[in-house]
């Protein structure tokens, strides 16, 4: 165990009112053992599960509880309290606390601090399995994730209420691991290993018009491609994202070019060159309607169906890979969504498209990957295949950005 892994890190721990609150006492001890200083805010309900005295004995600091406590305000305002930390950690994050966070409420000190902060927030949810699975909680989780909040857990297992399933708060040591990973990631990003490099990412589907109101599309959400653009930008790359029509919001710190069709996507990519890195994550439509109608097409009585003549779209990945000299990005990465013989097909695709790496995933329905938030990928390079563990699309994106940074670092040291 590295006793100083969190040296001088300031953590504001927000303790929600759940049975798992007792685990916070051990959590505080473990964080402090590693050099972190911990200040705690307790919600009103948290008092039912642990006492402020136990919490303050372990943090060695006064415990903050009441938004309207004038003594607190005289010593430290709630804005200062939330900004004077490197990380806000919410444990246990109850269904109620998560709902209030997702709604942007500020009706007690805990939620006010969370709303007033400009610091990263990590939450460890804990609740009954039915509450976790409820549509309202799932909606709140999606909102919080979109707001940039990170999660650790919950785990699956026997619950205090006698039921079984996801909802148990992560164990203190898992939370410590997530806190350490957060700071490790932050330190890596602070080094800006991709600074000075230009990156181009395609993402989302394309829409190919049939007439002015109809089009051919696919189900791509753009989540993975957008997350990759964000991760490359976090590591310092000057990033252009060429995005097809998608509901996924534009990532921060990235220049986004919105396009509709494959032709427009190719033109936007060519306009963004030169680039050092090109990652083609878009689900480009393979075909377009050869001659889309200028006016809305009308049904004709007695007509038996409609024949559309389709023409193949340009292959953006293959086009970028085939560029010559300095115009060709130094690293071109494609994606391969396969339903069988994943590695074999992806290896073959790498050769056919002429790209350097392929990120391959198994999208057969049983995996539940298509359209979901997780991904399970293999990276195919000239050296072979790397199997990566199943992770959120955001974590896959981070890991890919790290892998890209590693590639350029090694390249540099080789020259
Ligand atoms: N791609 C592209 N332009 C296209 C089609 C695909 O840039 N017109 C890129 C995608 O962004 C992805 C990779 O190529 O990086 C996927 O290859 P593709 O041939 O489309 O794979 P599949 O749709 O799986 O096709 P198949 O397996 O039938 O070859």
């Amino acid at each position: 165990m590295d006793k100083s892994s969190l040296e001088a890190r300031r953590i504001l721990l927000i303790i929600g009112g759940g049975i798992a609150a007792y685990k916070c006492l051990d959590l505080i001890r473990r964080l402090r053992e590693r050099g972190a200083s911990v200040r705690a805010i307790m919600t009103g309900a948290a008092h039912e599960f642990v006492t402020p005295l136990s919490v303050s004995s372990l943090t060695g600091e006064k415990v903050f509880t009441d938004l309207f406590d004038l003594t607190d305000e005289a010593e430290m305002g709630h804005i200062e309290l939330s900004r004077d930390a490197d990380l806000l950690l919410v444990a246990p994050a109850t269904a109620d606390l998560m709902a209030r966070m997702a709604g942007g409420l500020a009706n007690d000190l805990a939620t006010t601090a969370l709303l007033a902060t400009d610091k990263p927030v990590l939450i460890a949810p804990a609740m009954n399995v039915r509450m976790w699975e409820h549509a309202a909680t799932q909606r709140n989780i999606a909102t919080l994730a979109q707001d940039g909040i990170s999660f650790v857990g919950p785990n699956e297992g026997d619950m205090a209420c006698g039921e079984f399933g996801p909802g148990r708060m992560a164990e203190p040591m898992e939370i410590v691991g997530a806190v350490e990973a957060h700071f490790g990631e932050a330190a890596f990003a602070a080094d800006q290993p991709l600074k000075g490099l230009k990156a181009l990412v395609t993402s989302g589907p394309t829409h190919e018009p049939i007439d002015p109101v109809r089009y051919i599309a696919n189900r791509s959400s753009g989540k993975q491609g957008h997350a990759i653009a964000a991760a490359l930008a976090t590591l310092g790359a000057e990033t252009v994202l060429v995005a097809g029509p998608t509901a996924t919001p534009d990532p921060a710190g990235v220049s986004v070019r919105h396009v509709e069709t494959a032709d427009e996507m190719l033109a936007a990519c060519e306009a963004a060159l030169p680039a050092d890195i090109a990652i083609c994550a878009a689900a480009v439509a393979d075909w377009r309607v050869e001659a889309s109608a200028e006016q809305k097409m009308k049904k004709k009585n007695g007509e038996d169906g409609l024949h559309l003549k389709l023409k193949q779209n340009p292959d953006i990945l293959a086009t970028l890979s085939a560029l010559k000299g300095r115009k060709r990005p130094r690293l071109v990465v494609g994606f391969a969504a396969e339903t069988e013989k994943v590695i074999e097909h992806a290896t073959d695709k790498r050769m056919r498209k002429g790209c350097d790496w392929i990120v391959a995933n198994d999208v057969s329905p049983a995996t539940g990957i298509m359209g979901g938030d997780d991904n399970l990928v293999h990276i195919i390079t000239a050296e072979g295949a790397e199997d990566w563990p199943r992770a959120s699309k955001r974590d896959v994106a981070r890991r890919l950005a790290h892998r890209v940074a590693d590639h350029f670092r090694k390249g540099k040291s080789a020259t």
Side-chain angles (χ1 to χ4, degrees):
M1 175 182 77
D2 179 2
K3 285 273 188 188
S4 60
S5 62
L6 297 175
E7 197 62 54
R9 302 296 191 184
R10 291 162 305 167
I11 294 169
L12 180 61
L13 174 65
I14 295 176
I15 307 176
I19 187 81
Y22 77 92
K23 291 188 188 172
C24 279
L25 301 178
D26 190 33
L27 175 62
I28 295 167
R29 210 164 56 82
R30 306 280 185 179
L31 291 169
R32 292 200 64 200
E33 264 174 13
R34 284 161 179 74
S37 65
V38 183
R39 267 201 184 115
I41 292 179
M42 292 174 67
T43 65
H47 289 76
E48 305 293 329
F49 298 93
V50 280
T51 67
L53 185 61
S54 331
V55 174
S56 74
S57 311
L58 286 162
T59 59
E61 298 242 10
K62 174 178 163 48
V63 173
F64 299 84
T65 52
D66 191 353
L67 183 56
F68 300 105
D69 183 333
L70 288 179
T71 331
D72 286 357
E73 285 298 318
E75 285 170 9
M76 178 176 285
H78 53 266
I79 307 271
E80 209 183 327
L81 185 60
S82 66
R83 297 202 172 178
D84 189 48
D86 300 310
L87 175 73
L88 272 65
L89 173 62
V90 186
T94 59
D96 172 72
L97 193 46
M98 284 170 57
R100 290 190 288 138
M101 288 170 73
L105 298 191
N107 53 0
D108 62 2
L109 181 58
T111 47
T112 304
L114 284 159
L115 197 62
T117 194
D118 57 356
K119 296 295 158 61
V121 179
L122 172 67
I123 73 173
M127 66 196 73
N128 165 276
V129 54
R130 287 173 212 279
M131 291 167 83
W132 175 257
E133 283 169 353
H134 194 283
T137 304
Q138 291 299 315
R139 214 165 39 235
N140 294 333
I141 294 164
T143 304
L144 293 171
Q146 209 165 73
D147 290 349
I149 286 171
S150 307
F151 289 70
V152 48
N155 294 340
E156 201 162 279
D158 289 319
M159 316 201 65
C161 52
E163 293 191 74
F164 182 90
R168 272 170 70 101
M169 187 169 90
E171 295 304 320
M173 281 311 294
E174 286 174 68
I175 301 177
V176 169
V179 170
E180 286 173 333
H182 163 82
F183 286 116
E185 174 74 24
F188 193 68
D191 276 354
Q192 298 278 281
L194 294 179
K195 199 174 169 66
L197 297 181
K198 281 185 69 180
L200 166 65
V201 180
T202 69
S203 182
T206 62
H207 285 183
E208 307 296 334
I210 296 171
D211 67 15
V213 296
R214 303 181 177 96
Y215 55 81
I216 299 174
N218 61 65
R219 294 185 199 280
S220 167
S221 66
K223 283 180 192 164
Q224 187 64 83
H226 280 52
I228 290 168
L232 293 169
T234 303
L235 297 194
E238 186 187 327
T239 307
V240 173
L241 171 66
V242 180
T246 147
T248 304
D250 289 354
V254 169
S255 308
V256 187
R257 315 265 188 275
H258 292 279
V259 297
E260 295 266 331
T261 65
D263 268 341
E264 289 169 12
M265 188 171 270
L266 176 61
C269 287
E270 286 174 335
L273 292 174
D276 301 281
I277 305 153
I279 301 190
C280 293
V284 185
D286 288 319
W287 297 280
R288 65 170 177 273
V289 177
E290 190 172 47
S292 63
E294 282 188 11
Q295 305 300 332
K296 185 179 169 202
M297 291 163 68
K298 294 286 182 196
K299 293 188 291 291
K300 293 191 187 92
N301 276 342
E303 191 182 51
D304 178 25
L306 168 72
H307 294 278
L308 290 174
K309 185 153 188 237
L310 301 181
K311 190 169 183 250
Q312 207 159 32
N313 266 328
D315 190 313
I316 299 166
L317 175 63
T319 307
L320 296 178
S321 301
L323 289 170
K324 298 282 176 257
R326 299 177 69 130
K327 275 210 124 183
R328 188 194 190 274
R330 288 193 277 158
L331 179 68
V332 182
V333 183
F335 271 69
E338 309 289 346
T339 54
E340 54 161 3
K341 300 184 188 151
V342 178
I343 308 272
E344 196 182 314
H345 286 164
T347 305
D348 177 56
K349 197 165 284 176
R350 192 181 87 86
M351 297 308 289
R352 268 193 292 122
K353 303 260 183 172
C355 58
D356 304 299
W357 299 352
I358 284 273
V359 180
N361 60 2
D362 184 346
V363 291
S364 41
T367 63
I369 299 258
M370 203 70 181
D373 288 323
D374 280 1
N375 211 349
L376 175 65
V377 305
H378 312 270
I379 310 294
I380 317 290
T381 70
E383 278 77 50
E386 297 167 23
D387 301 329
W388 288 8
R390 187 176 178 130
S392 68
K393 288 185 175 167
R394 198 159 81 157
D395 283 345
V396 169
R398 279 192 197 139
R399 188 163 173 169
L400 184 63
H402 283 207
R403 184 73 176 75
V404 169
D406 225 35
H407 172 80
F408 278 93
R409 192 176 46 76
K410 281 195 191 126
K412 247 186 236 157
S413 56
T415 52

